[in-house]
Amino acid sequence: MVQPIRVAVTGAAGQIGYSILFRLASGETFGNRPVILQLLDLPIPEVQKALQGVAMELQDCGFKSLAGIECTDDPNVAFNGVSWALLVGSKPRGPGMARADLIRENGPIFIGQGNALEKGAGDMRVLVVGNPCNTNCLIAASNCKGVPKERFFAMTRLDENRAIAQLANKAGVTNAEISRVSVFGNHSESMYPDFENAKIAGKSAKTVIKDLKWLRGEFVGNVQNRGKAIIAARGKSSAASAASAAIDHVKDLEKKTARGQWFSAAVWSDGSYDSPKGIYTSMPITSDGKGGYSVVQGLKLSKWAKDKIRVTNEELLAEREVVKELLK
Ligand code: NAX
């Protein structure tokens, strides 16, 4: 009999939780391997009641691959024995709230969760989605001593997917014809989506689109500001697309990346592309299909692109400064 895989999701009663859990349970993400979901949310009666409601709906789907559901308000229970921990839960940014205040507000959550992950840790991988995700990932990893920093990721896959859709739309092709898009830096408005190495139907995106002004201006801006545009249109932040990107991340890390392809994730900086060490910054990576990854090396970037990457990494250094007392 195949051993079930245990997957923890925090903030499971929230918007993203409501989209992600069904795709984790359905068999789509882990194939035929049975899944036990370990769902964490706040110790507030209404929140725990809502979480029970989500668990009831999961049961009602009758997924053959769902082997169990545990709902809890205790991170030690949620992370016990997991292979994946998806850290979604955190407070959203309130109106007029500065980014630094959000960082200070959410940072402490990731100390406790880092400690609990350390206790429960087997050979797990952690994906931080809750914002500011790069810096929250740094806090969690730093408070999870003994677990290699390379097992932690912050999610920038949504930004990559947004960039793919923008390029496909401009070139009048399907998303499937776009490849080799990378997101560099922070999951914030400073991120840099690289089109210089992207391909459209196997040809350089720059030669297909032939409009450098659009690529450097509208394209980059649309990707950087897409989160805001969704809030303006929907009145709520992206949820289904964020959940979908997290599923893409897990699936892509679980399988060996096809030759010549890559995907984006914020990883523990090894200094590639002149990124400072000691931060989680987004880079193009490939997976070995066994839980390990490598940063794609040797991409050619213009001085203009390198400047953009420098700026977004400087923002990450400034965020690290804000949370320095939370790091071990
Ligand atoms: P919701 O407010 O709908 O849900 C958040 C859930 O987290 C709530 O159920 C809340 O009770 C729970 N929570 C809060 N603190 C917790 C704690 N200490 N332990 C466990 N649970 C806790 O937000 P949702 O729309 O689901 O978004 C969740 C996070 O994802 C936010 O931080 C959001 O900014 C971030 N996002 C990140 C994205 C990315 O690409 N990295 C994109 C989408 C999204 O903006």
Side-chain angles (χ1 to χ4, degrees):
M1 172 162 165
V2 190
Q3 271 294 102
I5 181 166
R6 292 180 178 270
V7 181
V9 179
T10 75
Q15 281 204 95
I16 295 175
Y18 195 68
S19 285
I20 206 169
L21 297 176
F22 298 85
R23 293 184 62 186
L24 290 169
S26 69
E28 174 197 344
T29 311
F30 300 104
N32 292 329
R33 198 161 169 203
V35 177
I36 298 177
L37 291 175
Q38 302 185 180
L39 309 182
L40 178 74
D41 213 301
L42 291 173
I44 299 172
E46 308 86 80
V47 173
Q48 286 297 317
K49 195 171 164 207
L51 188 56
Q52 288 296 340
V54 177
M56 287 157 72
E57 283 207 64
L58 280 162
Q59 285 165 352
D60 293 350
C61 289
F63 292 129
K64 293 188 175 52
S65 46
L66 183 57
I69 311 171
E70 192 150 6
C71 296
T72 179
D73 59 12
D74 180 352
N76 294 307
V77 173
F79 298 143
N80 190 27
V82 294
S83 297
W84 272 99
L86 308 180
L87 309 189
V88 179
S90 62
K91 288 180 198 158
R93 190 161 164 181
M97 194 177 192
R99 193 171 169 84
D101 291 336
L102 180 75
I103 294 169
R104 274 189 218 98
E105 189 86 24
N106 278 330
I109 295 174
F110 294 87
I111 298 180
Q113 293 189 353
N115 290 332
L117 280 164
E118 185 182 353
K119 280 188 225 150
D123 183 15
M124 51 146 193
R125 299 293 174 277
V126 179
L127 177 65
V128 181
V129 175
N131 278 324
C133 62
N134 299 54
T135 297
N136 289 340
C137 184
L138 175 65
I139 298 167
S142 142
N143 285 278
C144 189
K145 288 279 166 224
V147 175
K149 298 238 178 347
E150 289 75 16
R151 293 195 188 167
F152 285 76
F153 304 84
M155 189 171 90
T156 53
R157 185 54 185 273
L158 177 58
D159 309 304
E160 179 185 316
N161 288 346
R162 287 167 170 168
I164 288 170
Q166 292 287 325
L167 291 175
N169 193 37
K170 180 73 175 176
V173 300
T174 62
N175 292 336
E177 289 175 89
I178 310 290
S179 61
R180 300 193 181 190
V181 174
S182 331
V183 169
F184 285 90
N186 199 1
H187 170 68
S188 78
E189 284 148 35
S190 74
M191 83 187 74
Y192 173 62
D194 176 49
F195 53 84
E196 294 182 348
N197 294 281
K199 299 264 186 205
I200 300 179
K203 295 188 193 126
S204 156
K206 275 165 78 180
T207 58
V208 174
I209 291 183
K210 293 192 189 84
D211 183 350
L212 191 59
K213 190 162 174 262
W214 181 85
L215 286 164
R216 285 188 171 180
E218 224 173 300
F219 165 70
V220 172
N222 282 351
V223 179
Q224 290 174 331
N225 294 307
R226 188 67 167 181
K228 264 197 201 158
I230 302 281
I231 294 173
R234 220 171 76 88
K236 290 181 192 161
S237 57
S238 335
S241 56
S244 194
I247 297 287
D248 286 344
H249 177 105
V250 174
K251 278 163 65 175
D252 280 347
L253 204 84
E254 288 276 321
K255 66 171 191 267
K256 189 169 168 24
T257 308
R259 218 188 148 129
Q261 301 301 314
W262 59 73
F263 60 101
S264 308
V267 294
W268 182 238
S269 174
D270 63 353
S272 298
Y273 301 100
D274 294 330
S275 299
K277 292 192 175 174
I279 54 171
Y280 278 85
T281 184
S282 187
M283 309 228 181
I285 62 168
T286 57
S287 168
D288 63 8
K290 298 173 197 152
Y293 70 86
S294 308
V295 175
V296 176
Q297 297 296 329
L299 296 187
K300 288 205 175 100
L301 294 160
S302 64
K303 181 180 175 308
W304 178 87
K306 285 180 185 165
D307 280 347
K308 295 269 173 209
I309 295 172
R310 184 181 43 74
V311 168
T312 186
N313 281 326
E314 278 169 5
E315 185 182 53
L316 284 167
L317 290 174
E319 289 187 11
R320 185 179 68 181
E321 192 56 24
V322 173
V323 300
K324 64 177 185 239
E325 307 84 57
L326 309 184
L327 303 176
K328 286 234 179 90

